[in-house]
Amino acid sequence: MTVSLPPLREVIARHGLSASKALGQNFLFDEQLLDRIAAIPGDLSGRAVLEIGPGPGGLTRALLRAGACVTAIEMDRRCLPALAELEEAFPGKLRVIEGDALAMDHDALMGEPYAVVANLPYNVGTALFVRWLSGETWPPRWTSLTLMFQLEVAQRIVAQPGTDPFGRLAVLAQWRTAAKLAMKVHRSAFTPPPKVMSAVVHVEPTAMPAGVSARMLERASEAAFGQRRKMLRQSLKGLPGALDALDRLGIDSARRAETLSVAEFVAIAEQLSP
């Protein structure tokens, strides 16, 4: 279905919209770039897609053009009239929900398996990402996450052990998903341009190691990287049983967190899991 839409800049001007710094908004106008982002998860024809923070609907348009059935959560009321126009242009393909995505149960909202595709507002992006990664039930209801972050955050998600960006986010992302940096996006692509570069990360669930609690892995990685310059014997001493677990696993407690592999963190969490 080919739908003729007015240019996004025109829609924004007509509704008197501007990006809100308080909400971490930066608008993308480049339709070709948006179509490339919408193509990263693969064929979206007829698939359910959750979008967080659509703003005036730039990425939403691209997802709808790709054939997706989109549920968009937006807390900025100023953007709702522009999104309502898209609802009219794509009947039955777009559902807009006003509210805070952090306060909602996404699985209950979507009902069926769904892909998440979003240019995440900078101020809630990491919190949402950690939540999607942290469910005890696995595989999750979401089939993939295609998310725009600040480049620095994206690099932390895909980082390898022994590198500066390697930390809690990398461990949480890589222990039971395949995460890759799919595309860098220059700051000049946004209005207003943010101070930093951005990047799109694509994440797909993989098999989960048996006998490991996601909450325990989160606690172990949080403790270890909370004092990342200290030896493990210092950073993990507040986590009951952690130092004994290192002994049993033959992991030298004089090592620092960034030298451990994701598999070693998983092994520690397995030892500590009930």
Side-chain angles (χ1 to χ4, degrees):
M1 177 174 68
T2 305
V3 177
S4 179
L5 295 169
L8 200 56
R9 285 181 190 279
E10 187 184 300
V11 172
I12 286 170
R14 184 156 35 85
H15 290 287
L17 295 174
S18 58
S20 161
K21 198 170 183 181
L23 295 175
Q25 290 173 332
N26 297 90
F27 297 156
L28 271 176
F29 292 123
D30 185 333
E31 303 262 348
Q32 284 186 318
L33 176 63
L34 290 164
D35 285 339
R36 282 171 58 207
I37 294 169
I40 290 170
D43 183 9
L44 292 178
S45 298
R47 285 177 63 190
V49 171
L50 175 64
E51 184 187 7
I52 310 292
L59 181 56
T60 319
R61 291 169 166 224
L63 294 168
L64 292 166
R65 277 196 296 266
C69 298
V70 181
T71 296
I73 303 174
E74 179 55 68
M75 69 185 302
D76 185 355
R77 321 191 78 152
R78 302 173 310 144
C79 295
L80 299 180
L83 293 168
E85 290 176 12
L86 279 180
E87 279 185 285
E88 283 178 32
F90 292 88
K93 291 288 190 179
L94 174 61
R95 172 175 58 151
V96 179
I97 295 169
E98 183 188 354
D100 179 359
L102 277 170
M104 295 183 192
D105 180 337
H106 303 150
D107 288 356
L109 186 67
M110 299 301 288
E112 60 189 308
Y114 59 97
V116 181
V117 186
N119 171 15
L120 288 174
Y122 283 165
N123 52 356
V124 296
T126 305
L128 280 167
F129 186 61
V130 168
R131 192 174 115 184
W132 285 319
L133 293 174
S134 299
E136 289 292 344
T137 306
W138 204 261
R141 190 73 62 82
W142 53 265
T143 54
S144 67
L145 307 172
T146 305
L147 305 170
M148 176 97 71
F149 291 102
Q150 294 176 340
L151 178 60
E152 178 196 344
V153 176
Q155 288 170 331
R156 280 163 49 201
I157 291 166
V158 301
Q160 294 303 301
T163 64
D164 279 345
F166 184 73
R168 174 173 159 257
L169 267 189
V171 174
L172 290 181
Q174 294 173 35
W175 77 289
R176 55 180 181 178
T177 77
K180 68 175 184 181
L181 202 157
M183 180 196 303
K184 290 183 182 178
V185 182
H186 197 273
R187 50 189 294 278
S188 62
F190 296 90
T191 301
K195 293 190 174 74
V196 295
M197 292 275 284
S198 297
V200 179
V201 172
H202 183 68
V203 177
E204 292 184 353
T206 56
M208 173 173 157
V212 184
S213 154
R215 179 71 194 116
M216 192 52 73
L217 181 73
E218 214 177 328
R219 285 180 64 192
S221 55
E222 214 169 336
F225 288 106
Q227 306 177 67
R228 64 182 297 145
R229 295 298 164 219
K230 294 193 172 174
M231 296 177 190
L232 292 172
R233 67 168 69 106
Q234 278 297 114
S235 59
L236 291 180
K237 70 180 181 186
L239 187 61
L243 298 186
D244 289 339
L246 293 180
D247 275 348
R248 286 195 297 274
L249 293 165
I251 295 173
D252 185 352
S253 64
R255 289 170 65 185
R256 290 179 171 80
E258 69 264 25
T259 70
L260 267 64
S261 67
V262 174
E264 285 174 312
F265 272 107
V266 170
I268 294 167
E270 185 184 9
Q271 291 283 323
L272 299 176
S273 294

